[in-house]
Amino acid sequence: MRFKRVAAVAAAATLAFGLAACGGDSEEGGDTGSGSKTFAAGSTMERLNKAQKIKVGTKFDQPGFGQKGLSGKPEGFDVEIAKLIVKELGIPEDKIEFVETPSKVREDVIANGTVDLVAATYTIKDERKERISFAGPYYEAGQNIMVKKDDSAITGPDSFKDGTKKVCSVTGSTPAEEIKKYVKDVATQLVLFDTYDKCRDALKGGQVDAVTTDNVILLGYIAKDEASFKMAGQNFTKEPYGIGVKKDDTDFRNFINDILEKSYSDGSWKKAWDDTAGKFGAELGNPPTIERY
Ligand code: GLU
């Protein structure tokens, strides 16, 4: 009995999604969203569409991806990608509540329902998939190192092996873990904060010798303060960015994946990039292949 119900819901979901996906563009007032879309009963899409509001977790301190500026709302590539998803849910843009979501809390706020999705330079990782699920990837970054403009001693992660130089990163991030492979003494060399702007300030103030995280985050800081900072060396990891959703919410994940794929072909992905992070010298590259699992 239970199986039959689940199967029926799944079939309805497939049908309703197909309709919603096809109908998305032909709606009137598409830019502002609309409550007139139909989604499968019991789906996350239906719940959000009925509520006509959504909570999106993103960063507030990362130029080009999610940074809260004078507008009072975060701006950036992650924010634009989230808006593409919200539009297809038929929710007006002004009904998005952006919630600041530092690296460390991302799995928590998804799992406990504080936010409905997370778009926050969020690397798709198997360990993270144990608690949440990912749509995407929609971008591939890579870990790099930012130093002071006049620094010539740090040229890559191997420069930390001598045990003297301090490097800053963020708790709960993949770069904070990765750099441990290179530093000689984690206790004295690795400085962790909750947000990257604190690392940037520590570098500027001379408390640390370097900041390590994804190249695109660092490029944003460099673009904002070229007199102070530069990149040291090449990317040394691959960081595919995904949209975090509740674990095993496969319908919602597929819905987002379809939107991402559509954005690759209709120009909205490239436009989102050109309007945001693309201004800071980062490369967009080809659209990454969506991982459907
Ligand atoms: N992409 C990496 C991660 O998800 C680093 C950037 C961040 O902390 O948001 O951990």
Side-chain angles (χ1 to χ4, degrees):
M1 193 58 199
R2 184 170 153 67
F3 172 74
K4 271 196 190 150
R5 220 184 110 237
V6 171
V9 168
T14 311
L15 182 66
F17 173 67
L19 293 175
C22 296
D25 269 358
S26 56
E27 260 186 279
E28 281 176 42
D31 273 351
T32 52
S34 143
S36 62
K37 294 194 180 209
T38 323
F39 295 102
S43 65
T44 300
M45 293 81 84
E46 186 210 43
R47 175 176 64 75
L48 293 169
N49 175 267
K50 275 196 173 155
Q52 283 295 290
K53 59 184 182 186
I54 183 166
K55 288 188 181 171
V56 171
T58 194
K59 301 294 186 78
F60 280 9
D61 67 325
Q62 295 178 188
F65 276 79
Q67 187 181 42
K68 211 166 176 175
L70 293 177
S71 70
K73 302 229 157 149
E75 291 164 9
F77 188 55
D78 283 334
V79 171
E80 292 307 310
I81 294 291
K83 284 180 186 168
L84 294 177
I85 298 164
V86 173
K87 182 177 166 189
E88 293 294 335
L89 285 164
I91 301 171
E93 212 174 281
D94 62 359
K95 293 288 185 276
I96 306 174
E97 183 186 334
F98 287 102
V99 179
E100 184 174 18
T101 307
S103 304
K104 186 178 169 233
V105 306
R106 289 175 294 199
E107 287 89 272
D108 291 341
V109 295
I110 295 166
N112 67 23
T114 305
V115 300
D116 298 297
L117 61 88
V118 164
T121 58
Y122 202 3
T123 298
I124 300 173
K125 277 274 227 197
D126 285 346
E127 297 94 290
R128 291 173 175 166
K129 280 189 194 162
E130 285 168 18
R131 292 191 64 205
I132 61 132
S133 291
F134 284 105
Y138 60 92
Y139 185 70
E140 187 174 280
Q143 184 170 352
N144 210 314
I145 295 162
M146 179 172 83
V147 294
K148 283 255 192 79
K149 189 91 186 219
D150 57 4
D151 184 301
S152 52
I154 298 171
T155 52
D158 288 331
S159 301
F160 299 108
K161 287 185 171 161
D162 70 358
T164 63
K165 298 173 193 75
K166 282 192 193 329
V167 57
C168 189
S169 198
V170 159
T171 312
S173 70
T174 51
E177 281 309 307
E178 179 69 18
I179 203 69
K180 287 181 186 166
K181 295 180 191 163
Y182 298 90
V183 297
K184 195 169 177 189
D185 181 23
V186 171
T188 57
Q189 287 183 269
L190 181 58
V191 176
L192 294 177
F193 288 117
D194 58 344
T195 57
Y196 291 108
D197 55 354
K198 292 179 186 161
C199 281
R200 176 206 54 201
D201 294 348
L203 177 61
K204 195 154 183 183
Q207 290 97 346
V208 298
D209 303 295
V211 178
T212 189
T213 186
D214 300 341
N215 62 330
V216 283
I217 300 174
L218 300 174
L219 282 170
Y221 289 134
I222 292 167
K224 297 264 166 186
D225 194 351
E226 280 187 0
S228 301
F229 305 124
K230 67 174 183 186
M231 209 73 111
Q234 305 298 315
N235 292 358
F236 54 97
T237 66
K238 286 188 181 354
E239 308 289 331
Y241 289 172
I243 302 291
V245 299
K246 272 231 163 94
K247 186 164 162 58
D248 299 332
D249 193 345
T250 308
D251 288 344
F252 194 30
R253 194 155 53 75
N254 285 338
F255 172 79
I256 294 171
N257 281 335
D258 288 348
I259 293 168
L260 293 175
E261 269 175 358
K262 184 166 154 247
S263 78
Y264 293 166
S265 54
D266 71 8
S268 51
W269 178 71
K270 180 158 187 323
K271 180 174 186 329
W273 178 263
D274 290 345
D275 290 347
T276 59
K279 293 184 175 152
F280 298 151
E283 293 291 318
L284 179 59
N286 291 323
T289 306
I290 298 289
E291 281 171 30
R292 295 194 181 255
Y293 65 95

